[in-house]
Amino acid sequence: MLSNTNKGLTYADAGVDIDAGNKAVELMKDSVKATYRPEVLGDLGGFGGLFSLMNSDIKKPILVSGTDGVGTKLRLAIMMGKHDTVGQDCVAMSINDVLVQGAEPLFFLDYIAVGKLDPVQVATIVKGVANACQESGCALLGGETAEMAGFYAKDDYDLAGFGVGIVDRDKVITGENIKAGDVLIGLPSTGVHSNGFSLVRKIVLERQNMKLDQYVDELGMTIGECLLTPTRLYPRPCLPIIKNFTVKGMVHITGGGFYENIPRVLPKGVGVDIDVTSWPQLPIFGLLQKWGNVDAKEMYRTFNMGIGMIMIVDEKDADAVLKNLADRDEKAYVIGKVVDSDVPVTLRGGVFHD
């Protein structure tokens, strides 16, 4: 009789379950197919996703790509055993970045790496990805689920994605024509989105020693539910503005907050003057600042502070843009103006003195 040390090994013995992978694919098939646009060729399961541009009416098509992950927000999802929202975070982080160049999202691919493959868990994550793709108007063209036994802990996983959009070369939003007097229109965020969670976890789990199922009166929900609120998708509110107006610049407020992201679209010699009292403040940010004794400037350098997307338009177009958004029940706020300045970002109002 062979000893255990001489037993013939299988991939499953090494911690990789091919059957579980096949089951996960079967469970996610319908969600993925529901995202397909007419340009998608082939079916789920090929070595590569096929997407035709033959029917595009864009004269000088430019593809715009973006890639990102959900980051350490996943730790909270794992701790709570709640995996149905992080898929939207994954899509939003890439698709919102593609959008700011003026591009319509076309397709998205996801990558999930797990320690131990749970087909239902993976299908739940992918369903969230697929739902977000549908809302953004893009196809979930493909993806990869990697079972990496011995690399990730049994219950751990990572989630990242890659999005591609299309825009006419003449309509790429670059920020190069931004000038003093232009208006900043801010679209609200849904919360912390997917940035700053290393600081969030330090404040909530270490400094406050809170449990994620602890109810917080100011939030009207548990702290965990609030923090897992998915990143907002901005294609639906913004694409009609991009198509019908001249948008000079767009800023997705992600890691780096206001101070790091806004300067990325500004030409030399101009800055922005922003009134931080011009939009409603979300309670979660005030709580995080108080609980962590975080300086105001650090808050605006780390978090979106309630504004997830900024559009910069000519002053003469501002009212029409705001009306277009209001007519579609989209909230938006004039949060500041472009000024002649060597200082890229000036915040005033509230804790920032005029």
Side-chain angles (χ1 to χ4, degrees):
M1 180 181 291
L2 290 172
S3 68
N4 286 338
T5 57
N6 291 324
K7 176 189 172 185
L9 293 175
T10 67
Y11 212 0
D13 292 325
V16 179
D17 189 339
I18 294 174
D19 291 334
N22 291 334
K23 184 178 180 182
V25 171
E26 193 61 36
L27 288 173
M28 68 179 72
K29 259 185 178 177
D30 289 343
S31 297
V32 174
K33 286 185 176 180
T35 72
Y36 283 2
R37 295 167 50 126
E39 300 97 327
V40 175
L41 306 177
D43 203 352
L44 185 66
F47 286 97
L50 306 177
F51 193 98
S52 173
L53 296 177
M54 292 297 292
N55 296 324
S56 172
D57 59 358
I58 295 178
K59 295 177 181 178
K60 296 186 247 180
I62 299 292
L63 295 179
V64 183
S65 60
T67 186
D68 208 338
V70 180
T72 61
K73 184 175 185 176
L74 290 176
R75 177 57 57 202
L76 303 186
I78 292 166
M79 291 173 68
M80 294 177 66
K82 182 175 171 57
H83 311 288
D84 59 340
T85 60
V86 292
Q88 178 167 324
D89 289 300
C90 184
V91 174
M93 294 303 289
S94 293
I95 292 301
N96 288 342
D97 279 354
V98 166
L99 181 69
V100 301
Q101 304 293 147
E104 174 192 352
L106 293 179
F107 58 83
F108 186 82
L109 298 98
D110 61 12
Y111 173 81
I112 306 170
V114 301
K116 177 67 176 174
L117 201 154
D118 177 340
V120 173
Q121 181 193 75
V122 169
T124 300
I125 295 168
V126 173
K127 185 176 181 181
V129 172
N131 289 343
C133 285
Q134 276 192 291
E135 183 177 334
S136 302
C138 66
L140 179 51
L141 196 58
E144 165 72 359
T145 301
E147 189 171 20
M148 300 173 65
F151 191 86
Y152 290 96
K154 175 177 173 290
D155 296 322
D156 282 355
Y157 65 89
D158 197 10
L159 175 62
F162 181 93
V164 173
I166 191 168
V167 62
D168 192 300
R169 178 188 285 273
D170 296 333
K171 296 182 179 178
V172 176
I173 297 174
T174 64
E176 62 186 354
N177 294 321
I178 292 173
K179 68 179 192 312
D182 289 340
V183 174
L184 276 67
I185 295 176
L187 276 68
S189 70
T190 51
V192 182
H193 284 181
S194 295
N195 296 104
F197 271 85
S198 294
L199 179 57
V200 168
R201 289 184 299 111
K202 191 161 191 69
I203 292 170
V204 173
L205 302 179
E206 296 182 27
R207 178 71 66 88
Q208 292 298 112
N209 197 27
M210 295 178 73
K211 302 296 184 184
L212 293 175
D213 61 359
Q214 183 172 327
Y215 187 87
V216 180
D217 288 338
E218 295 94 328
L219 302 174
M221 62 184 76
T222 68
I223 184 65
E225 288 172 325
C226 177
L227 293 175
L228 280 190
T229 301
T231 306
R232 186 178 177 190
L233 298 157
Y234 289 99
R236 185 174 291 174
C238 291
L239 280 174
I241 303 299
I242 292 170
K243 290 177 180 178
N244 294 297
F245 298 91
T246 299
V247 179
K248 295 185 175 185
M250 291 182 68
V251 183
H252 183 203
I253 304 296
T254 55
F258 287 67
Y259 286 106
E260 303 298 328
N261 286 296
I262 295 174
R264 295 165 69 177
V265 304
L266 297 177
K268 188 174 291 187
V270 299
V272 297
D273 185 281
I274 294 176
D275 180 357
V276 300
T277 67
S278 58
W279 66 89
Q281 303 299 299
L282 297 178
I284 183 60
F285 295 112
L287 290 172
L288 290 172
Q289 183 173 11
K290 180 177 71 173
W291 291 339
N293 191 27
V294 183
D295 178 76
K297 185 170 183 178
E298 182 70 10
M299 291 293 293
Y300 283 85
R301 197 169 69 95
T302 305
F303 301 114
N304 66 64
M305 299 305 289
I307 294 292
M309 183 70 74
I310 296 173
M311 294 185 286
I312 302 176
V313 301
D314 196 286
E315 187 174 22
K316 65 179 175 55
D317 294 328
D319 287 343
V321 169
L322 290 168
K323 183 178 185 306
N324 182 290
L325 290 163
D327 287 346
R328 293 183 286 119
D329 295 321
E330 299 286 357
K331 292 182 179 178
Y333 310 95
V334 172
I335 65 170
K337 284 195 170 187
V338 178
V339 294
D340 289 318
S341 176
D342 292 327
V343 179
V345 179
T346 299
L347 303 183
R348 60 182 176 82
V351 294
F352 298 96
H353 300 295
D354 294 337

